Amino acid sequence: MSRLVLVLAAVFLGACGSAQGTAANPSETTPAQTDQATPSPTGTPAPTHVPGSAVRITVNGAELKQGATAQVDGETPALIVITFPMAMDRGSVERWLPRSASISWADDHMVNLAIPASENNLAFKVPESLSADGSTIVDLFFVSLTLPPSIVVSTYSVDELLSGVRSPRDPAVRVGAVDAWRFSPDGREVLMFQTAERRPTGHSPRIFDLRTHSTVTLPVPPEASGPLLFGDWAGNDRVVLVAEAVWVGPADGSSIRKVADLRGLGTPRTVAVSPLGSSVALGWTDRLMIIGVGSGSTRMIVDHRDDCANPSGARLAWSSDDSRLAAVECDASAPTSRVRILDTASGRTVRTLEGGDLGVTSLLTGDFAVPRESGEQGEGSRGLFVVFSFAGIEKARYLGHAPTLSPDGRYMLDGTCCAGEGFVLTDLRAPDPSQPAIAGRAIWLTDGRVLVLQGTAGAR
């Protein structure tokens, strides 16, 4: 019995050793396992990449290279043509184009865009657009556009500004920067003109409609070969231009006529159009002329003298009914300024006030302010603004940097210190020192609304 057990155990151990040895030796696999291979996958070749520089771009007819920026005028649509080196999948391109643009394809190689002048974001990029057959990817390219320096114009009610509305509005109106601009009393249009360039090679005066975004160029008289010295509104529907003559024309640009010739008188030192547009006053160092805009009549006030060096501020201010004029006068031999109030019909002096070294400020209340030193010192110091009626009676005093009053006299706008970064609106009946400053420069309109102007560096 014991012998039989030993024999069976030996047989069992031998079988186990044989099985373990077979599993542990990978070289002893079967032929079927050795010859079996994994099939290789089949697919479409990867698309070829073409650099974005292979795309040709023109802006208003001029070629735009990658890495360069084109400046557009901002007054007419920007016309862009993009030409690809192969037929394109139009959808892969159009998804990156400005939504405000008018898009038309000449064929699968060329797309035309017209971006309106009112567009707030002109520049755009097109990343990895696809060819029509899917074999090629056009890498990233840019259409970099910028605008000339400009101002952004928004209009607000007093309540909106006091409630903390943000400026500028979205959308706001952008007006191309020029040497000078004057807004119409109702804030609907702006007269723009160059003072440094000589015409006719420079830009002619033009009027921009803030509602329709349309521009009217004013016809420049042939004899107006010198730089334009001055331009302003005579009411809401006419403008006055001054160079070596005085011209008046309607705001629609249909015509312009000369109402006075200034040749032989020298260059005026100061000019001011009356609020109702009936007259324009021009001041020299030794005379003051008042011209009737409608009739061309002139009145010369020869005892006027304003010959101090480096005059500061505005030198003339009209009453709201066009009947009186406040003129700053200064004698170089005794440089202490004064303000003389004149009756424009007769030329007589109504009253003479002390001060005026810093000019005069016309107010929509029908009064005017004379800035004076306040006694405050250092950066951020304010001036003293004394308000007078055109009878020469003092009515109020305010401390500020450049305060102006609303037409009803209830609210005051004042610039902040020290480089015109913003303004503060104050309710004079209930002043709130915590009222925050608002970005931009503010101008009162005759109906009590406020125009807010903010500058841009080119791109919007």
Side-chain angles (χ1 to χ4, degrees), residues 57 79 91 113 128 146 180 194 196 209 311 330 398 419 421 429 452:
I57 302 167
L79 304 179
L113 285 75
E128 296 195 336
T146 187
Q194 302 283 353
D209 192 311
C330 180
Y398 302 103
E421 299 92 344
R429 298 183 188 178
V452 178

Side-chain angles (χ1 to χ4, degrees), residues 59 86 88 95 145 200 229 260 327 331 334 358 380 389 394 403 405 442 452:
V59 178
M86 74 287 293
M88 298 298 294
R95 61 182 294 198
L145 306 179
L229 300 174
D331 192 330
L358 301 176
S389 71
E394 183 179 326
L405 300 178
V452 178

Side-chain angles (χ1 to χ4, degrees), residues 14 17 24 41 46 50-51 79 105 114 138 146 162-163 167 198 209 306 351 366 379 389 402 448:
V50 172
L79 304 179
W105 289 80
V138 179
T146 187
L162 290 176
S163 67
S167 180
R198 297 186 65 84
D209 192 311
D306 185 18
R351 189 167 181 181
E379 185 177 12
S389 71

Side-chain angles (χ1 to χ4, degrees), residues 156-159 161-162 185 320 361-369 387 395-396 398 402-414 423-429 442-451:
Y156 301 93
S157 68
V158 167
D159 290 340
L161 292 176
L162 290 176
S320 58
T361 302
S362 183
L363 301 174
L364 290 179
T365 57
D367 305 314
F368 68 95
V387 178
K395 300 180 69 173
Y398 302 103
T404 56
L405 300 178
S406 60
D408 61 5
R410 176 175 175 177
Y411 300 96
M412 184 173 74
L413 290 170
D414 190 19
F423 66 94
V424 176
L425 174 62
T426 301
D427 184 343
L428 295 175
R429 298 183 188 178
I443 301 173
W444 286 110
L445 298 177
T446 53
D447 62 4
R449 292 177 301 148
V450 180
L451 272 182

